[in-house]
Amino acid sequence: MPSVFTRIIDGELPARFVWKDDRCVAFLSHRPLRPGHTLVVPRLEVDHWVDLEPELLGHLMSVSHRIGQALQHGFHPLRVGMIIAGLEVPHAHIHLVPFHTMEQLNFAQVDPNPRPEDLEQAAETIRTSLIELGIAPGSA
């Protein structure tokens, strides 16, 4: 059975995408820690990040770097955190979270019901920042 991320990638479930290329996608978390919380997900369904081929992992890091730059540009956080946990969905993924304090990276504090307009505004901020930084989505 496909993971929820595969179903999102295949268009079966909705998501607010900010990046798509032939190897990965990036979309907003539907349970964000902070505004702009983005997931970078390989199209290939691999459960654990340590099982990813090194080239694919490198690509995910490159895309994460670009999305991180856009998060920094658009949200002006103290830092952009990168978390690889993977317990909640058996499909490797990278969390990118703009934050100001370590407490803001606590997964017990996700917003379980974010307003759709807030998610759309965050996605638009990321997309605009990518353009302003000269990073075309899918150019990694």
Side-chain angles (χ1 to χ4, degrees):
M1 183 162 121
S3 77
V4 66
F5 291 159
T6 296
R7 294 179 66 208
I8 288 170
I9 292 166
D10 290 345
E12 294 176 31
L13 296 173
R16 287 172 176 81
F17 288 92
V18 298
W19 185 280
K20 290 183 182 181
D21 66 31
D22 62 336
R23 293 182 278 178
C24 74
V25 300
F27 51 86
L28 291 189
S29 173
H30 76 287
R31 294 173 45 102
L33 286 167
R34 302 277 304 141
H37 180 174
T38 302
L39 304 177
V40 178
V41 183
R43 290 180 179 274
L44 180 64
E45 191 172 311
V46 175
D47 181 13
H48 196 318
W49 73 271
V50 300
D51 295 326
L52 292 168
E53 292 295 326
E55 184 180 337
L56 179 55
L57 179 58
H59 181 71
L60 296 176
M61 289 295 137
S62 178
V63 170
S64 294
H65 182 249
R66 288 174 169 91
I67 300 294
Q69 290 173 317
L71 291 170
Q72 189 70 47
H73 178 82
F75 294 92
H76 309 287
L78 186 59
R79 293 281 191 262
V80 174
M82 176 186 283
I83 302 167
I84 301 174
L87 293 177
E88 66 281 4
V89 178
H91 189 145
H93 58 285
I94 299 167
H95 295 264
L96 301 175
V97 184
F99 73 102
H100 296 276
T101 67
M102 289 301 291
E103 292 79 25
Q104 293 175 332
L105 297 177
N106 182 348
F107 281 95
Q109 297 182 19
V110 299
D111 182 349
N113 195 24
R115 295 177 346 145
E117 57 268 27
D118 292 341
L119 291 172
E120 191 52 46
Q121 178 59 48
E124 190 55 37
T125 296
I126 297 166
R127 292 182 199 115
T128 299
S129 292
L130 286 167
I131 291 167
E132 290 174 354
L133 292 168
I135 303 169
S139 67

